[in-house]
């Protein structure tokens, strides 16, 4: 399975989550102190930007088809970089949640949404 590769500034097509994306979601949930009995990332989209990568992820969080859509950012996305998204050993930044839409259904498509800072 390949990772979606968008043109700079544009969103990729929705694709099944990769192991790397699952790990990013788990890391972000731990940072946020969020716990769901079910937490299963399903699909995602990527937007590459100069100095940042945005992710929009559909995460199944219920026994039925209840999901959330989470906007994640890694890199120089906003003032969050200095507030807790410290640089990693490889020079990147830890991802953080910049927005959430909940509740969503499993059948709802991922549609990029505006995040208010």
């Amino acid at each position: 399975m390949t990772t979606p590769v968008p043109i700079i500034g544009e969103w990729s097509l929705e694709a099944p989550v990769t192991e790397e994306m699952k790990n990013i979601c788990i890391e972000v949930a731990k940072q946020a102190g969020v716990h769901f009995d079910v937490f299963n990332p399903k699909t995602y989209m990527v937007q590459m930007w100069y100095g940042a990568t945005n992710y929009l992820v559909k995460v199944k969080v219920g026994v039925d088809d209840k999901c959330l859509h989470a906007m994640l950012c890694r890199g120089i996305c906003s003032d969050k970089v200095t507030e807790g998204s410290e640089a990693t050993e490889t020079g990147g930044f830890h991802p953080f949640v910049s927005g959430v839409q909940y509740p969503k259904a499993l059948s709802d498509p991922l549609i990029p949404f505006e995040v208010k800072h």
Side-chain angles (χ1 to χ4, degrees), residues 2-72:
T2 60
T3 302
V5 180
I7 297 170
I8 296 290
E10 294 185 16
W11 285 94
S12 70
L13 297 176
E14 188 171 345
V17 217
T18 61
E19 278 304 311
E20 177 186 14
M21 194 68 237
K22 283 182 186 178
N23 292 336
I24 289 171
C25 290
I26 290 166
E27 178 183 343
V28 167
K30 285 179 185 176
Q31 286 175 13
V34 176
H35 175 76
F36 290 96
D37 290 335
V38 175
F39 188 84
N40 187 8
K42 303 301 272 178
T43 60
Y44 77 116
M45 298 168 64
V46 178
Q47 179 191 46
M48 304 296 290
W49 201 247
Y50 301 100
T53 304
N54 294 311
Y55 304 98
L56 180 55
V57 187
K58 181 185 298 185
V59 181
K60 188 172 190 297
V61 294
V63 292
D64 50 8
D65 74 342
K66 194 171 287 187
C67 290
L68 62 80
H69 292 181
M71 188 81 71
L72 312 177

